[in-house]
Amino acid sequence: MKFYDCKTAPSPRRVRIFIAEKGLDIETVDIDLRKGEQMSAEYRAINPNCTVPALVLDDGNILQTTAGIWAYLEDLHPEPALLGATALEKGRIADVRWKIEFAGLMAMAEALRNSVPAMKGRALPGPDDFEQIPELAERGKQRVQLFLDRVDTMIGDKPFAAGDNYSVADIDLMIMVDFAGWLKMGLPKDADNAQRWYEAVSSRPSAKL
Ligand SMILES: N[C@@H](CCC(=O)N[C@@H](CS)C(=O)NCC(=O)O)C(=O)O
């Protein structure tokens, strides 16, 4: 197997952390997004979406999204279960994770990609070029702030984002909080549940990756 990664980007970090939590050792190739390596003919042959992560399997099959790679690796290596161990846990984790992706990660991408000069003409990832829309950056920032303010309630008194066990919901939420730091936004200082949770997940060895 070969994992196509990018050390500076949030989405492939979701897979890096997942691989580390499973204790797997997978050959890794770094695609430098800052140099535009995702747009090269070689990489398009692996992932025509021009995005990372991607996972090339030994039989030549290719998985081209975080969710696809997670599902595949979880099935091959069920322990520890990161997508949920029981039917209810699987459902809860999928619910929470989608909320984090939609209201957190997508809002953050909207804010960043529509504002930073380095992403001029590249307001969406993928093979097609789109111009930035400043109003979307503003709306994205408002959505990120609303999301960060609600993390405390989302965590409540649970140890982890979707319940008693560490899961992909924690991976996505931690990455979202770190990603928000790029726009100097963060969890409210007095959000005790959110701060307690963030400290716990960030101190796991996988979080350093
Ligand atoms: N939902 C997709 C998102 C992948 C994605 O957008 N990756 C970004 C890095 S975080 C990318 O490859 N961007 C390429 C670009 O900006 O041109 C996944 O998780 O696989």
Side-chain angles (χ1 to χ4, degrees):
M1 268 193 274
K2 225 182 242 185
F3 164 46
Y4 287 80
D5 190 7
C6 171
K7 282 283 182 291
T8 54
S11 284
R13 186 174 173 223
R14 298 150 88 186
V15 172
R16 239 174 17 249
I17 293 176
F18 189 94
I19 289 172
E21 289 284 342
K22 293 272 182 194
L24 306 176
D25 186 15
I26 300 179
E27 186 186 345
T28 300
V29 180
D30 200 75
I31 298 296
D32 191 334
L33 298 185
R34 288 174 186 179
K35 289 191 188 150
E37 288 177 1
Q38 75 279 24
M39 310 305 284
S40 70
E42 291 90 327
Y43 191 67
R44 278 174 199 257
I46 292 162
N47 188 356
N49 302 328
C50 307
T51 54
V52 279
L55 186 71
V56 179
L57 310 185
D58 293 339
D59 65 4
N61 276 301
I62 305 178
L63 300 170
Q64 295 163 335
T65 62
T66 302
I69 297 169
W70 278 348
Y72 176 78
L73 292 177
E74 178 98 342
D75 198 73
L76 282 189
H77 306 278
E79 301 286 333
L82 296 174
L83 295 173
T86 63
L88 181 60
E89 210 182 33
K90 284 178 195 185
R92 284 222 169 104
I93 290 168
D95 268 6
V96 174
R97 206 205 62 73
W98 172 245
K99 289 176 196 163
I100 297 164
E101 174 135 24
F102 178 74
L105 289 163
M106 285 164 69
M108 184 55 206
E110 187 174 83
L112 190 81
R113 296 195 74 110
N114 285 289
S115 61
V116 302
M119 288 182 165
K120 209 169 164 2
R122 293 288 304 154
L124 286 171
D128 307 307
D129 291 336
F130 289 95
E131 286 308 325
Q132 294 176 326
I133 301 175
E135 290 84 356
L136 277 183
E138 268 322 299
R139 189 185 73 178
K141 272 183 215 157
Q142 284 171 27
R143 292 177 64 212
V144 169
Q145 193 57 60
L146 286 169
F147 179 83
L148 291 168
D149 289 346
R150 288 173 182 154
V151 172
D152 202 56
T153 308
M154 179 190 284
I155 298 292
D157 57 8
K158 302 188 299 300
F160 295 108
D164 288 335
N165 298 308
Y166 180 85
S167 75
V168 291
D170 297 287
I171 296 178
D172 272 7
L173 188 54
M174 183 185 73
I175 285 174
M176 163 56 202
V177 172
D178 291 346
F179 194 19
W182 294 20
L183 288 180
K184 305 204 180 334
M185 299 173 80
L187 293 169
K189 292 272 176 289
D190 61 351
D192 294 339
N193 297 322
Q195 293 289 352
R196 180 250 312 146
W197 162 85
Y198 182 74
E199 218 173 286
V201 292
S202 300
S203 60
R204 297 169 81 93
S206 63
K208 314 290 177 237
L209 296 171

